[in-house]
Amino acid sequence: MMHGQGAVSMCEAEPIRRAEVLYLPGVALHVTEDQTDCHITVSPDHAPDHLRRILQVAKQRGLGLLDQDECEPTLLADDSVRLYLQTAA
């Protein structure tokens, strides 16, 4: 990057967006302000009750799991799994 010559880095051009993260040990619900990125990240050693509670919170916010035919869960580098959400109909 060239400093002081009018160049704008990609990072500076990207708008900062808000997101809310709610979590219990091993499970996190991530929801962007505009709800364009909503997902749950589940670690391999999570407690099943924690996942149930996070799913209940998502449901209370009008979100539900995407059907696996629409979007498969993603396995992350740390062996966590990302489950994608959509606005529930």
Side-chain angles (χ1 to χ4, degrees), residues 9-44:
S9 75
M10 292 299 287
C11 182
E12 291 171 354
E14 182 69 29
I16 295 175
R17 294 174 282 177
R18 296 178 65 114
E20 181 177 22
V21 178
L22 304 169
Y23 65 92
L24 290 166
V27 185
L29 170 63
H30 177 272
V31 180
T32 57
E33 187 173 38
D34 60 2
Q35 292 192 341
T36 57
D37 182 11
C38 304
H39 60 266
I40 295 173
T41 304
V42 184
S43 69

mmCIF file of all heavy atoms in Angstrom, residues 9-44:
data_model
loop_
_atom_site.group_PDB
_atom_site.id
_atom_site.type_symbol
_atom_site.label_atom_id
_atom_site.label_comp_id
_atom_site.label_asym_id
_atom_site.label_seq_id
_atom_site.Cartn_x
_atom_site.Cartn_y
_atom_site.Cartn_z
ATOM 1 N N SER A 9 -6.849 1.714 1.146
ATOM 2 C CA SER A 9 -6.775 0.253 1.232
ATOM 3 C C SER A 9 -8.173 -0.340 1.175
ATOM 4 O O SER A 9 -9.161 0.329 1.450
ATOM 5 C CB SER A 9 -6.076 -0.172 2.525
ATOM 6 O OG SER A 9 -6.937 0.007 3.623
ATOM 7 N N MET A 10 -8.232 -1.625 0.821
ATOM 8 C CA MET A 10 -9.524 -2.319 0.773
ATOM 9 C C MET A 10 -10.185 -2.301 2.147
ATOM 10 O O MET A 10 -11.393 -2.198 2.252
ATOM 11 C CB MET A 10 -9.331 -3.754 0.290
ATOM 12 C CG MET A 10 -8.894 -3.843 -1.165
ATOM 13 S SD MET A 10 -10.097 -3.128 -2.286
ATOM 14 C CE MET A 10 -11.351 -4.378 -2.226
ATOM 15 N N CYS A 11 -9.408 -2.410 3.192
ATOM 16 C CA CYS A 11 -9.945 -2.420 4.550
ATOM 17 C C CYS A 11 -10.629 -1.087 4.871
ATOM 18 O O CYS A 11 -11.692 -1.062 5.465
ATOM 19 C CB CYS A 11 -8.837 -2.710 5.560
ATOM 20 S SG CYS A 11 -9.431 -2.806 7.257
ATOM 21 N N GLU A 12 -10.016 0.004 4.483
ATOM 22 C CA GLU A 12 -10.589 1.320 4.759
ATOM 23 C C GLU A 12 -11.868 1.549 3.961
ATOM 24 O O GLU A 12 -12.746 2.284 4.388
ATOM 25 C CB GLU A 12 -9.571 2.415 4.442
ATOM 26 C CG GLU A 12 -8.393 2.421 5.400
ATOM 27 C CD GLU A 12 -7.290 3.357 4.955
ATOM 28 O OE1 GLU A 12 -7.386 3.916 3.842
ATOM 29 O OE2 GLU A 12 -6.324 3.511 5.711
ATOM 30 N N ALA A 13 -11.987 0.939 2.808
ATOM 31 C CA ALA A 13 -13.159 1.126 1.968
ATOM 32 C C ALA A 13 -14.343 0.277 2.446
ATOM 33 O O ALA A 13 -15.487 0.573 2.130
ATOM 34 C CB ALA A 13 -12.827 0.784 0.515
ATOM 35 N N GLU A 14 -14.068 -0.778 3.185
ATOM 36 C CA GLU A 14 -15.120 -1.680 3.660
ATOM 37 C C GLU A 14 -15.857 -1.036 4.833
ATOM 38 O O GLU A 14 -15.239 -0.621 5.813
ATOM 39 C CB GLU A 14 -14.501 -3.013 4.106
ATOM 40 C CG GLU A 14 -15.493 -4.033 4.568
ATOM 41 C CD GLU A 14 -16.371 -4.588 3.459
ATOM 42 O OE1 GLU A 14 -15.918 -4.631 2.315
ATOM 43 O OE2 GLU A 14 -17.514 -4.959 3.756
ATOM 44 N N PRO A 15 -17.183 -0.921 4.769
ATOM 45 C CA PRO A 15 -17.917 -0.319 5.891
ATOM 46 C C PRO A 15 -17.906 -1.251 7.105
ATOM 47 O O PRO A 15 -17.945 -2.475 6.970
ATOM 48 C CB PRO A 15 -19.342 -0.173 5.346
ATOM 49 C CG PRO A 15 -19.446 -1.184 4.266
ATOM 50 C CD PRO A 15 -18.059 -1.336 3.686
ATOM 51 N N ILE A 16 -17.832 -0.664 8.268
ATOM 52 C CA ILE A 16 -17.906 -1.438 9.506
ATOM 53 C C ILE A 16 -19.366 -1.726 9.787
ATOM 54 O O ILE A 16 -20.213 -0.835 9.760
ATOM 55 C CB ILE A 16 -17.267 -0.664 10.671
ATOM 56 C CG1 ILE A 16 -15.778 -0.487 10.406
ATOM 57 C CG2 ILE A 16 -17.509 -1.383 11.985
ATOM 58 C CD1 ILE A 16 -15.063 0.359 11.422
ATOM 59 N N ARG A 17 -19.658 -2.995 9.993
ATOM 60 C CA ARG A 17 -21.038 -3.408 10.248
ATOM 61 C C ARG A 17 -21.169 -3.924 11.670
ATOM 62 O O ARG A 17 -20.213 -4.409 12.257
ATOM 63 C CB ARG A 17 -21.444 -4.489 9.254
ATOM 64 C CG ARG A 17 -21.495 -3.950 7.825
ATOM 65 C CD ARG A 17 -21.748 -5.032 6.843
ATOM 66 N NE ARG A 17 -20.469 -5.744 6.662
ATOM 67 C CZ ARG A 17 -20.309 -6.797 5.905
ATOM 68 N NH1 ARG A 17 -21.315 -7.307 5.263
ATOM 69 N NH2 ARG A 17 -19.136 -7.351 5.772
ATOM 70 N N ARG A 18 -22.358 -3.849 12.198
ATOM 71 C CA ARG A 18 -22.631 -4.331 13.542
ATOM 72 C C ARG A 18 -23.125 -5.769 13.483
ATOM 73 O O ARG A 18 -23.835 -6.158 12.566
ATOM 74 C CB ARG A 18 -23.702 -3.462 14.191
ATOM 75 C CG ARG A 18 -23.285 -2.036 14.393
ATOM 76 C CD ARG A 18 -24.430 -1.259 14.996
ATOM 77 N NE ARG A 18 -24.713 -1.773 16.314
ATOM 78 C CZ ARG A 18 -24.528 -1.075 17.437
ATOM 79 N NH1 ARG A 18 -24.078 0.145 17.362
ATOM 80 N NH2 ARG A 18 -24.820 -1.602 18.596
ATOM 81 N N ALA A 19 -22.762 -6.524 14.501
ATOM 82 C CA ALA A 19 -23.252 -7.890 14.641
ATOM 83 C C ALA A 19 -23.456 -8.157 16.117
ATOM 84 O O ALA A 19 -22.781 -7.573 16.967
ATOM 85 C CB ALA A 19 -22.278 -8.890 14.052
ATOM 86 N N GLU A 20 -24.383 -9.022 16.399
ATOM 87 C CA GLU A 20 -24.633 -9.442 17.769
ATOM 88 C C GLU A 20 -24.204 -10.897 17.885
ATOM 89 O O GLU A 20 -24.491 -11.713 17.012
ATOM 90 C CB GLU A 20 -26.126 -9.309 18.078
ATOM 91 C CG GLU A 20 -26.476 -9.703 19.479
ATOM 92 C CD GLU A 20 -27.952 -9.490 19.788
ATOM 93 O OE1 GLU A 20 -28.771 -9.433 18.848
ATOM 94 O OE2 GLU A 20 -28.268 -9.396 20.966
ATOM 95 N N VAL A 21 -23.491 -11.202 18.942
ATOM 96 C CA VAL A 21 -23.072 -12.576 19.195
ATOM 97 C C VAL A 21 -23.579 -12.961 20.585
ATOM 98 O O VAL A 21 -23.287 -12.294 21.566
ATOM 99 C CB VAL A 21 -21.541 -12.739 19.127
ATOM 100 C CG1 VAL A 21 -21.139 -14.174 19.456
ATOM 101 C CG2 VAL A 21 -21.017 -12.326 17.767
ATOM 102 N N LEU A 22 -24.356 -14.017 20.610
ATOM 103 C CA LEU A 22 -24.846 -14.578 21.864
ATOM 104 C C LEU A 22 -24.225 -15.950 21.994
ATOM 105 O O LEU A 22 -24.175 -16.703 21.026
ATOM 106 C CB LEU A 22 -26.371 -14.683 21.843
ATOM 107 C CG LEU A 22 -27.108 -13.374 21.564
ATOM 108 C CD1 LEU A 22 -28.565 -13.646 21.311
ATOM 109 C CD2 LEU A 22 -26.937 -12.425 22.715
ATOM 110 N N TYR A 23 -23.749 -16.295 23.182
ATOM 111 C CA TYR A 23 -23.065 -17.579 23.280
ATOM 112 C C TYR A 23 -23.218 -18.229 24.643
ATOM 113 O O TYR A 23 -23.477 -17.576 25.644
ATOM 114 C CB TYR A 23 -21.583 -17.429 22.942
ATOM 115 C CG TYR A 23 -20.822 -16.561 23.914
ATOM 116 C CD1 TYR A 23 -20.186 -17.117 25.018
ATOM 117 C CD2 TYR A 23 -20.748 -15.191 23.731
ATOM 118 C CE1 TYR A 23 -19.502 -16.320 25.915
ATOM 119 C CE2 TYR A 23 -20.069 -14.396 24.616
ATOM 120 C CZ TYR A 23 -19.443 -14.955 25.712
ATOM 121 O OH TYR A 23 -18.771 -14.156 26.595
ATOM 122 N N LEU A 24 -23.099 -19.512 24.609
ATOM 123 C CA LEU A 24 -22.931 -20.382 25.760
ATOM 124 C C LEU A 24 -21.662 -21.167 25.461
ATOM 125 O O LEU A 24 -21.260 -21.252 24.301
ATOM 126 C CB LEU A 24 -24.127 -21.331 25.905
ATOM 127 C CG LEU A 24 -25.443 -20.684 26.319
ATOM 128 C CD1 LEU A 24 -26.595 -21.646 26.102
ATOM 129 C CD2 LEU A 24 -25.378 -20.251 27.770
ATOM 130 N N PRO A 25 -21.024 -21.758 26.460
ATOM 131 C CA PRO A 25 -19.799 -22.506 26.160
ATOM 132 C C PRO A 25 -20.017 -23.533 25.039
ATOM 133 O O PRO A 25 -20.918 -24.357 25.104
ATOM 134 C CB PRO A 25 -19.475 -23.197 27.492
ATOM 135 C CG PRO A 25 -20.058 -22.274 28.524
ATOM 136 C CD PRO A 25 -21.324 -21.749 27.895
ATOM 137 N N GLY A 26 -19.228 -23.396 23.974
ATOM 138 C CA GLY A 26 -19.274 -24.336 22.862
ATOM 139 C C GLY A 26 -20.264 -24.022 21.764
ATOM 140 O O GLY A 26 -20.269 -24.669 20.727
ATOM 141 N N VAL A 27 -21.109 -22.997 21.958
ATOM 142 C CA VAL A 27 -22.137 -22.666 20.966
ATOM 143 C C VAL A 27 -22.298 -21.146 20.899
ATOM 144 O O VAL A 27 -22.427 -20.490 21.931
ATOM 145 C CB VAL A 27 -23.501 -23.296 21.327
ATOM 146 C CG1 VAL A 27 -24.520 -23.042 20.235
ATOM 147 C CG2 VAL A 27 -23.379 -24.777 21.602
ATOM 148 N N ALA A 28 -22.298 -20.584 19.682
ATOM 149 C CA ALA A 28 -22.470 -19.137 19.527
ATOM 150 C C ALA A 28 -23.451 -18.837 18.399
ATOM 151 O O ALA A 28 -23.412 -19.461 17.340
ATOM 152 C CB ALA A 28 -21.133 -18.475 19.228
ATOM 153 N N LEU A 29 -24.327 -17.881 18.646
ATOM 154 C CA LEU A 29 -25.274 -17.376 17.650
ATOM 155 C C LEU A 29 -24.753 -16.037 17.164
ATOM 156 O O LEU A 29 -24.489 -15.139 17.970
ATOM 157 C CB LEU A 29 -26.665 -17.211 18.272
ATOM 158 C CG LEU A 29 -27.720 -16.474 17.452
ATOM 159 C CD1 LEU A 29 -28.032 -17.211 16.165
ATOM 160 C CD2 LEU A 29 -28.975 -16.269 18.282
ATOM 161 N N HIS A 30 -24.587 -15.887 15.865
ATOM 162 C CA HIS A 30 -24.069 -14.670 15.251
ATOM 163 C C HIS A 30 -25.141 -14.112 14.329
ATOM 164 O O HIS A 30 -25.600 -14.806 13.418
ATOM 165 C CB HIS A 30 -22.808 -15.022 14.447
ATOM 166 C CG HIS A 30 -22.218 -13.875 13.715
ATOM 167 N ND1 HIS A 30 -22.602 -13.519 12.453
ATOM 168 C CD2 HIS A 30 -21.253 -12.997 14.064
ATOM 169 C CE1 HIS A 30 -21.908 -12.485 12.050
ATOM 170 N NE2 HIS A 30 -21.078 -12.148 13.009
ATOM 171 N N VAL A 31 -25.539 -12.852 14.558
ATOM 172 C CA VAL A 31 -26.584 -12.206 13.750
ATOM 173 C C VAL A 31 -26.118 -10.800 13.394
ATOM 174 O O VAL A 31 -25.839 -9.995 14.281
ATOM 175 C CB VAL A 31 -27.923 -12.122 14.520
ATOM 176 C CG1 VAL A 31 -28.994 -11.457 13.669
ATOM 177 C CG2 VAL A 31 -28.373 -13.489 14.996
ATOM 178 N N THR A 32 -26.018 -10.509 12.092
ATOM 179 C CA THR A 32 -25.677 -9.153 11.682
ATOM 180 C C THR A 32 -26.902 -8.259 11.829
ATOM 181 O O THR A 32 -28.038 -8.731 11.842
ATOM 182 C CB THR A 32 -25.174 -9.105 10.233
ATOM 183 O OG1 THR A 32 -26.161 -9.652 9.376
ATOM 184 C CG2 THR A 32 -23.857 -9.829 10.077
ATOM 185 N N GLU A 33 -26.636 -6.976 11.929
ATOM 186 C CA GLU A 33 -27.696 -5.992 12.140
ATOM 187 C C GLU A 33 -28.787 -6.085 11.077
ATOM 188 O O GLU A 33 -29.974 -5.997 11.374
ATOM 189 C CB GLU A 33 -27.073 -4.594 12.147
ATOM 190 C CG GLU A 33 -28.017 -3.497 12.528
ATOM 191 C CD GLU A 33 -27.290 -2.175 12.669
ATOM 192 O OE1 GLU A 33 -26.371 -1.894 11.876
ATOM 193 O OE2 GLU A 33 -27.650 -1.415 13.580
ATOM 194 N N ASP A 34 -28.398 -6.302 9.827
ATOM 195 C CA ASP A 34 -29.369 -6.388 8.737
ATOM 196 C C ASP A 34 -29.813 -7.828 8.456
ATOM 197 O O ASP A 34 -30.521 -8.088 7.499
ATOM 198 C CB ASP A 34 -28.821 -5.754 7.466
ATOM 199 C CG ASP A 34 -27.545 -6.415 6.973
ATOM 200 O OD1 ASP A 34 -27.080 -7.410 7.590
ATOM 201 O OD2 ASP A 34 -26.984 -5.939 5.975
ATOM 202 N N GLN A 35 -29.382 -8.755 9.294
ATOM 203 C CA GLN A 35 -29.716 -10.179 9.206
ATOM 204 C C GLN A 35 -29.320 -10.815 7.882
ATOM 205 O O GLN A 35 -29.925 -11.778 7.431
ATOM 206 C CB GLN A 35 -31.197 -10.433 9.507
ATOM 207 C CG GLN A 35 -31.558 -10.155 10.940
ATOM 208 C CD GLN A 35 -32.931 -10.676 11.318
ATOM 209 O OE1 GLN A 35 -33.773 -10.948 10.464
ATOM 210 N NE2 GLN A 35 -33.151 -10.823 12.594
ATOM 211 N N THR A 36 -28.254 -10.304 7.252
ATOM 212 C CA THR A 36 -27.763 -10.926 6.025
ATOM 213 C C THR A 36 -26.785 -12.059 6.315
ATOM 214 O O THR A 36 -26.502 -12.857 5.437
ATOM 215 C CB THR A 36 -27.068 -9.900 5.109
ATOM 216 O OG1 THR A 36 -26.007 -9.274 5.842
ATOM 217 C CG2 THR A 36 -28.053 -8.859 4.608
ATOM 218 N N ASP A 37 -26.264 -12.105 7.522
ATOM 219 C CA ASP A 37 -25.349 -13.181 7.915
ATOM 220 C C ASP A 37 -25.758 -13.670 9.296
ATOM 221 O O ASP A 37 -25.449 -13.040 10.303
ATOM 222 C CB ASP A 37 -23.897 -12.698 7.927
ATOM 223 C CG ASP A 37 -22.914 -13.803 8.284
ATOM 224 O OD1 ASP A 37 -23.307 -14.990 8.320
ATOM 225 O OD2 ASP A 37 -21.738 -13.486 8.541
ATOM 226 N N CYS A 38 -26.463 -14.777 9.312
ATOM 227 C CA CYS A 38 -26.932 -15.357 10.568
ATOM 228 C C CYS A 38 -26.496 -16.818 10.605
ATOM 229 O O CYS A 38 -26.795 -17.575 9.685
ATOM 230 C CB CYS A 38 -28.454 -15.287 10.673
ATOM 231 S SG CYS A 38 -29.111 -13.619 10.508
ATOM 232 N N HIS A 39 -25.768 -17.172 11.647
ATOM 233 C CA HIS A 39 -25.327 -18.552 11.758
ATOM 234 C C HIS A 39 -25.061 -18.922 13.210
ATOM 235 O O HIS A 39 -24.962 -18.063 14.073
ATOM 236 C CB HIS A 39 -24.088 -18.819 10.901
ATOM 237 C CG HIS A 39 -22.904 -17.972 11.264
ATOM 238 N ND1 HIS A 39 -22.634 -16.787 10.617
ATOM 239 C CD2 HIS A 39 -21.940 -18.121 12.187
ATOM 240 C CE1 HIS A 39 -21.540 -16.256 11.127
ATOM 241 N NE2 HIS A 39 -21.101 -17.052 12.097
ATOM 242 N N ILE A 40 -24.961 -20.212 13.437
ATOM 243 C CA ILE A 40 -24.600 -20.758 14.740
ATOM 244 C C ILE A 40 -23.303 -21.519 14.535
ATOM 245 O O ILE A 40 -23.175 -22.307 13.595
ATOM 246 C CB ILE A 40 -25.695 -21.694 15.280
ATOM 247 C CG1 ILE A 40 -26.985 -20.904 15.543
ATOM 248 C CG2 ILE A 40 -25.226 -22.407 16.542
ATOM 249 C CD1 ILE A 40 -28.176 -21.772 15.912
ATOM 250 N N THR A 41 -22.335 -21.289 15.418
ATOM 251 C CA THR A 41 -21.083 -22.037 15.387
ATOM 252 C C THR A 41 -21.064 -22.959 16.597
ATOM 253 O O THR A 41 -21.271 -22.513 17.726
ATOM 254 C CB THR A 41 -19.870 -21.087 15.400
ATOM 255 O OG1 THR A 41 -19.989 -20.188 14.292
ATOM 256 C CG2 THR A 41 -18.570 -21.858 15.288
ATOM 257 N N VAL A 42 -20.836 -24.239 16.335
ATOM 258 C CA VAL A 42 -20.907 -25.266 17.375
ATOM 259 C C VAL A 42 -19.561 -25.980 17.453
ATOM 260 O O VAL A 42 -19.082 -26.522 16.464
ATOM 261 C CB VAL A 42 -22.015 -26.301 17.040
ATOM 262 C CG1 VAL A 42 -22.165 -27.312 18.146
ATOM 263 C CG2 VAL A 42 -23.334 -25.601 16.762
ATOM 264 N N SER A 43 -18.949 -25.977 18.644
ATOM 265 C CA SER A 43 -17.671 -26.677 18.813
ATOM 266 C C SER A 43 -17.929 -28.158 19.062
ATOM 267 O O SER A 43 -19.024 -28.548 19.483
ATOM 268 C CB SER A 43 -16.867 -26.072 19.961
ATOM 269 O OG SER A 43 -17.498 -26.347 21.189
ATOM 270 N N PRO A 44 -16.923 -28.998 18.797
ATOM 271 C CA PRO A 44 -17.122 -30.439 18.943
ATOM 272 C C PRO A 44 -17.512 -30.875 20.358
ATOM 273 O O PRO A 44 -18.205 -31.862 20.527
ATOM 274 C CB PRO A 44 -15.762 -31.034 18.568
ATOM 275 C CG PRO A 44 -15.050 -29.981 17.820
ATOM 276 C CD PRO A 44 -15.600 -28.676 18.293
#
